[in-house]
Every structure is written in structure tokens, then in C-alpha cells.
Amino acid sequence: MFHDRKEAGQRLAEELLRYKHELPVIIALPRGGVPVAFEIAKKLHVPLDIVIVRKLGAPGQKELAIGALVEGKKTLVFLNNYIMTSLRVSESYLKEEITIETEEMRRRQKMYRGDEQRIQLKDQTVIIVDDGIATGASMKAALMGLKADEPKKIILAVPVAPADIINEMEQIVDEVVCLKTPTLFFAVGEHYANFSQTTDDEVIALLDEAKEQLQK
């Protein structure tokens, strides 16, 4: 068990030191992935940025994803056609949901980055980080978004994820670094002693601190 996201990030950073010579860009899924990724960026002394993924919720079941939006050169939309067909999701509902989540994505981009653009990832080694993976839906969407930016290599780094999900991810990325892969998996939070929610203010503070670290 990890004490908190900071400790998980420190332990991951030790495993990722071998990539330091490649001068990777660390990309986190906010909010929970940022404290983990910050420790990696600090240890490797490399840039930290985020990729924002917004789930498209099903009618009347907002926790059930019918797809996702991912930021990139342009906003990308990924749909789960099986669930869309099963629930008979209408075009009008989908259009409205995309509009709502696009506005939320822009709000978060402004809140987290201000007027700055995301770090250019073309031909870069990218290490994408979260505090753990449960179903893998958000991470898969994030990875598809990152691939559109044409990085040289994508490394997935997480403290904990189910073994079967890691097997899936190994088919999508160049390399996977995962500290714990339990066969029985119920929730990411059960692998942390302290899994309190990361706030927007914490995300902004860590992103600012990461920039300051690079200037030292």
C-alpha cells in the first residue's frame, strides 16, 4: 500500500530514472495524477504538463461513459459505439453532451494553464502518469489523444492497476511501468492509506512549482 500520491510518485520516479537521458515530457491526468507526476518530473528534472480528458456520460447514468473528449491539437471525440447502440443514444443528446463537456474542458484548460499552450510533444518521449487505473477508459482516451501529437515514444507509468488492464495497455504504448498489478482489483483508492481528493488549487500549485524547478 502507498501512503499517498506523493510517495507513489517518488517510488515510480526511481523506476523511471533510466529514461532521464531521453529528456522526456511528463504528462499527467488531472487531478489525481498530478501529485504523482510532479514527483517524477522533479526527480528527472524534466517538464510537467497535463492532458485533459472529459467523460461523455450516458443519458440518466452520467457515470457510465458513452465516450470521451481529449484535448490535443484539436479536441478529439472517442465514442463507445457498443454502449451508444445498446442505449440508443440520440444524435441530439450526444451533440449536447459534447457541447457541455467541451465548455468544461476549456474552463479547465484556462484554470490550469492560463494563456499558455500545452508543451509540444511531436518527436518527444512522453511519460503519461495517473494515480492508478481501474477500467482504463480515461487512460485509453488520453493515449489516443497523445498519439495524435506524434510523440517518438509513449511510456505509461502508474503505481497500481489490474493485471489484465496492464496487459491491454502494453499493446497500446511502447512501455509500461506499474509498481503493483493485483489480480483482484476493486478500486484505486484501496491501495492508498490517504486517497483524499486532489483539488484544483493543488493542481495549479504543483504545475507552477514544476516550472520553477526547471529554472533552478
Side-chain angles (χ1 to χ4, degrees), residues 24-210:
V25 176
I26 312 300
I27 299 289
L29 270 69
R31 292 177 291 211
V34 175
V36 181
F38 172 79
E39 297 300 326
I40 298 167
K42 182 168 72 172
K43 184 76 173 179
L44 275 61
H45 199 66
V46 294
L48 170 65
D49 207 337
I50 55 174
V51 58
I52 300 174
V53 179
R54 295 298 304 167
K55 178 168 62 180
L56 300 172
Q61 304 178 66
K62 289 296 186 179
E63 290 306 307
L64 177 62
I66 58 173
L69 298 180
V70 186
E71 66 170 341
K73 291 178 182 175
K74 62 178 182 178
T75 301
L76 302 176
V77 181
F78 300 102
L79 299 176
N80 186 322
N81 291 320
Y82 175 77
I83 294 179
M84 289 271 295
T85 302
S86 298
L87 297 180
R88 299 179 181 176
V89 178
S90 68
E91 285 295 322
S92 60
Y93 174 85
L94 178 62
K95 185 176 180 180
E96 183 181 359
E97 186 71 359
I98 288 174
T99 298
I100 291 169
E101 293 304 334
T102 298
E103 289 176 2
E104 177 61 17
M105 177 177 286
R106 287 174 181 157
R107 186 189 74 83
R108 290 183 179 233
Q109 287 171 327
K110 183 73 174 175
M111 176 172 57
Y112 294 149
R113 290 203 193 91
D115 295 324
E116 293 186 11
Q117 298 297 310
R118 197 173 81 186
I119 295 172
Q120 292 297 309
L121 302 179
K122 184 176 173 63
D123 298 326
Q124 298 272 21
T125 293
V126 174
I127 300 178
I128 184 167
V129 180
D130 205 353
D131 54 11
I133 299 176
T135 66
S138 294
M139 182 59 76
K140 286 176 185 174
L143 288 169
M144 287 187 280
L146 289 183
K147 285 187 175 186
D149 287 346
E150 302 177 359
K152 178 175 68 177
K153 180 193 293 186
I154 299 178
I155 299 155
L156 169 62
V158 289
V160 62
D164 59 333
I165 295 294
I166 289 300
N167 290 337
E168 282 185 46
M169 294 296 172
E170 287 175 339
Q171 311 305 310
I172 301 172
V173 300
D174 295 287
E175 297 177 51
V176 175
V177 178
C178 183
L179 302 179
K180 295 179 181 293
T181 54
T183 304
L184 289 175
F185 190 98
F186 299 102
V188 172
E190 68 182 1
H191 299 279
Y192 287 83
N194 177 4
F195 198 63
S196 57
Q197 188 177 58
T198 304
T199 67
D200 288 328
D201 286 344
E202 288 173 315
V203 169
I204 294 164
L206 288 171
L207 292 174
D208 287 345
E209 189 175 345

